[in-house]
């Protein structure tokens, strides 16, 4: 059920008198303050993604991805090197992550 459906349901409850205006305002604020997809594990992993200061060879990108995903950093390094060998995608991806992912 989407956000619009939830808001429509709240408005319907308010219209029938099941919710007061104050209860409606609190429920609406709670719905709008909750980020979309906050309970999805992949979204949570991306929100806590930071470049590692401890497990790093260059920029700490693979160490940070390892902490966020629970997969060993050497596996991420192998994946990025493999992607680098096939068209340079791994190098581009690593550079973008190095630039845009904040450090710990």
């Amino acid at each position: 059920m989407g956000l619009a459906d939830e808001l429509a349901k709240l408005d319907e409850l308010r219209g029938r008198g099941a919710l007061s205006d104050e209860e409606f305002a609190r429920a609406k604020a709670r719905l709008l303050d909750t980020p979309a997809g906050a309970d999805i594990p992949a979204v949570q992993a991306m929100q806590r993604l930071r470049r590692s200061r401890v497990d790093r060879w260059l920029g700490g990108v693979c160490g940070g991805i390892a902490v966020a995903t629970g997969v060993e950093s050497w596996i991420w390094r192998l994946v990025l090197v493999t992607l680098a060998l096939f068209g340079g995608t791994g190098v581009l991806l690593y550079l973008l992550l190095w630039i845009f992912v904040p450090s710990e």
Side-chain angles (χ1 to χ4, degrees):
M1 184 178 299
L3 181 61
D5 295 331
E6 291 286 338
L7 291 173
K9 186 187 292 186
L10 282 175
D11 190 45
E12 180 183 334
L13 287 171
R14 182 180 63 166
R16 287 190 289 172
L19 287 176
S20 68
D21 288 337
E22 183 180 307
E23 291 171 329
F24 173 76
R26 279 196 314 252
K28 181 180 173 183
R30 189 176 30 219
L31 274 177
L32 295 177
D33 286 342
T34 304
D39 56 343
I40 300 172
V43 172
Q44 291 174 349
M46 288 304 295
Q47 289 175 343
R48 68 175 184 261
L49 178 60
R50 301 284 183 264
R51 289 185 292 120
S52 176
R53 289 181 185 246
V54 178
D55 185 12
R56 66 187 312 160
W57 284 6
L58 291 175
V61 173
C62 292
I65 295 173
V67 170
T69 61
V71 178
E72 293 290 329
S73 59
W74 68 268
I75 295 173
W76 286 111
R77 288 181 184 109
L78 181 65
V79 167
L80 288 173
V81 166
T82 304
L83 286 173
L85 294 175
F86 294 102
T89 307
V91 173
L92 178 65
L93 182 61
Y94 192 91
L95 288 175
L96 288 173
L97 288 171
W98 194 350
I99 292 169
F100 292 111
V101 174
S103 186
E104 284 181 325

